[in-house]
Amino acid sequence: MRRVSETVTAAPTPARRSPLHDHHVALGASFAPFGGWEMPVQYSRDGRGGTVAEHTATREAVGLFDVSHLGKVRISGPGAAAFVDRCLTNDLSRIVPGKAQYTLCCAEDGGVVDDLILYLVGPDEVFAVPNAANSAGVGRRLAGVAPAGITVADEHDAHVVLAVQGPVSPAVLAEVGLLAEDAELDYMAFVDAEWQGRFVRVCRTGYTGERGYELIAPSDGAGELWDALAAVVGERGGLPAGLGARDTLRTEAGLPLHGQDLGPDITPLQARCGFAVGWRKEEFWGREALLAERAEGPRRRSWGLRATGRGVPRGHMTVRRGDDAVGETTSGTFSPTLRTGIALALLDTAAGIDEGDVLAVDVRGRALECEVVTPPFVASKVR
């Protein structure tokens, strides 16, 4: 008698949702999976909204984003900051408590496991915000080598992260009562504020290229904070904005997205993130490989491509000079600000490509002519 083998397929893990999910539904949001989360991509209500409108509102007034899918990891204990500094690339000694820092978690071969923001609370506490899909992995890497007395705690579900971005953002935070009207918070500085009896960390950071803030607040009661912000944002000519606008804004700003523009096979030097490496530090993950690549020079480098004709480049499209393939796009989109297609691309160093050169992107078999530019595509206003 023949035995029939049966294959049992495990049920897919359901996507996680922001504590503010119902608020997004009420605003007419459409959703998509991102890093294991179901997050709002764009909103449509009363004829307003959509990615282009949300993008423009952020550039000209203010956009309100829920980015609670981002990770939250607290590293605490005697010498916690020094411990983190021995692991991640950037040099924490460059900043003081009350400041945040962009840094990278690298593998020993120099590939980027994740890019993240560190909030330096003090010598014995660092709060890290990794990307959603990589948060648990970064936490495990740190916990696996943490000395006795240092705790690495995953607080992903304990907090929401909201981004208020755009030229009107200081006025929004002042009206809501999170910052005094005359408060001047330096770029990458943060303060711990109290709002209706709840702790809210307010930081002058963002992912849009605009002046803005990111808020870390308790998940419990986050809906009240969202509603208060959304009301003032609307009064100030702004809009709630989804991850679609966040992507077009960050691409115009030339900011990399992990998993596309940097990752395990894309090093900091290739992605133009060498500024986030403490080259004089004696220890951090991937140090030897990155020093060797720096001495030799990276074999490829990220450049911007701005379409000169009609068409929109997307990720993973071949870039050519004449008949020769010289690289591949990593991100691509339509730029609402420039009204043309733009892309980030990894181009071969040996090809000798420079700013102003004209290349072609293979868009489904059609050559789209593009000019090589140094990112960002739109001038940064973060400071």
Side-chain angles (χ1 to χ4, degrees):
M1 183 176 178
R2 294 175 62 191
R3 294 184 62 185
V4 178
S5 63
E6 295 182 354
T7 301
V8 178
T9 303
T13 303
R16 300 166 77 173
R17 287 179 170 177
S18 163
L20 300 168
H21 183 84
D22 290 346
H23 293 257
H24 302 315
V25 171
L27 289 170
S30 57
F31 296 86
F34 190 87
W37 289 66
E38 184 183 16
M39 296 299 293
V41 175
Q42 63 178 7
Y43 300 83
S44 180
R45 188 180 182 187
D46 301 329
R48 302 181 73 206
T51 294
V52 173
E54 293 161 19
H55 176 112
T56 303
T58 304
R59 286 273 183 254
E60 297 180 354
V62 61
L64 172 62
F65 302 78
D66 177 10
V67 288
S68 299
H69 61 297
L70 295 174
K72 304 97 183 171
V73 179
R74 190 183 305 275
I75 307 100
S76 58
F83 160 66
V84 171
D85 197 41
R86 293 194 297 271
C87 299
L88 306 183
T89 60
N90 215 335
D91 187 349
L92 266 178
S93 70
R94 294 175 179 170
I95 65 172
V96 297
K99 288 279 192 173
Q101 185 181 72
Y102 177 76
T103 191
L104 306 164
C105 175
C106 285
E108 289 305 324
D109 65 359
V112 181
V113 175
D114 198 22
D115 62 333
L116 59 159
I117 296 289
L118 298 180
Y119 293 79
L120 181 59
V121 181
D124 300 332
E125 184 178 339
V126 177
F127 192 85
V129 179
N131 285 292
N134 304 323
S135 182
V138 171
R140 283 194 299 269
R141 283 174 177 263
L142 290 169
V145 296
I150 290 182
T151 301
V152 180
D154 182 352
E155 299 185 3
H156 211 148
D157 295 326
H159 313 275
V160 296
V161 183
L162 308 180
V164 184
Q165 301 283 302
V168 182
S169 58
V172 170
L173 264 62
E175 189 166 339
V176 169
L178 282 168
L179 283 179
E181 288 190 15
D182 57 351
E184 281 294 332
L185 199 58
D186 291 338
Y187 181 58
M188 298 298 279
F190 69 90
V191 294
D192 291 336
E194 186 177 329
W195 189 82
Q196 296 190 359
R198 300 184 183 96
F199 152 87
V200 179
R201 179 159 288 164
V202 181
C203 189
R204 271 271 283 116
T205 52
Y207 193 50
T208 64
E210 291 293 330
R211 183 182 182 91
Y213 303 83
E214 290 178 313
L215 315 175
I216 302 173
S219 295
D220 181 30
E224 296 173 22
L225 178 59
W226 170 271
D227 289 344
L229 289 165
V232 177
V233 163
E235 293 168 0
R236 295 281 183 161
L239 290 171
L243 297 187
R246 190 168 183 257
D247 190 59
T248 55
L249 289 158
R250 71 92 190 168
T251 305
E252 287 186 349
L255 300 173
L257 175 64
H258 189 273
Q260 291 182 202
D261 311 297
L262 74 170
D265 61 343
I266 304 173
T267 69
L269 287 168
Q270 295 171 15
R272 291 183 182 262
C273 291
F275 67 90
V277 179
W279 295 105
R280 296 182 180 179
K281 291 199 320 182
E282 295 184 358
E283 185 179 1
F284 59 87
W285 295 335
R287 178 177 182 270
E288 298 306 318
L290 291 178
L291 286 173
E293 183 184 36
R294 187 189 189 201
E296 185 177 345
R299 63 183 178 85
R300 54 185 184 170
R301 195 177 186 205
S302 181
W303 285 93
L305 299 177
R306 178 172 174 167
T308 57
R310 295 186 63 179
V312 179
R314 302 294 182 184
H316 304 294
M317 291 181 169
T318 301
V319 182
R320 300 184 184 278
R321 173 188 273 163
D323 294 330
D324 298 328
V326 293
E328 183 181 73
T329 58
T330 53
S331 288
T333 190
F334 173 77
S335 164
T337 303
L338 302 176
R339 310 298 298 174
T340 191
I342 59 173
L344 297 173
L346 283 172
L347 304 180
D348 298 337
T349 306
I353 294 163
D354 204 353
E355 189 163 17
D357 290 351
V358 176
L359 305 176
V361 177
D362 186 345
V363 180
R364 296 181 294 277
R366 183 177 71 86
L368 174 62
E369 196 170 271
C370 295
E371 180 186 359
V372 177
V373 300
T374 301
F377 299 91
V378 174
S380 174
K381 300 174 186 175
V382 297
R383 299 182 189 276

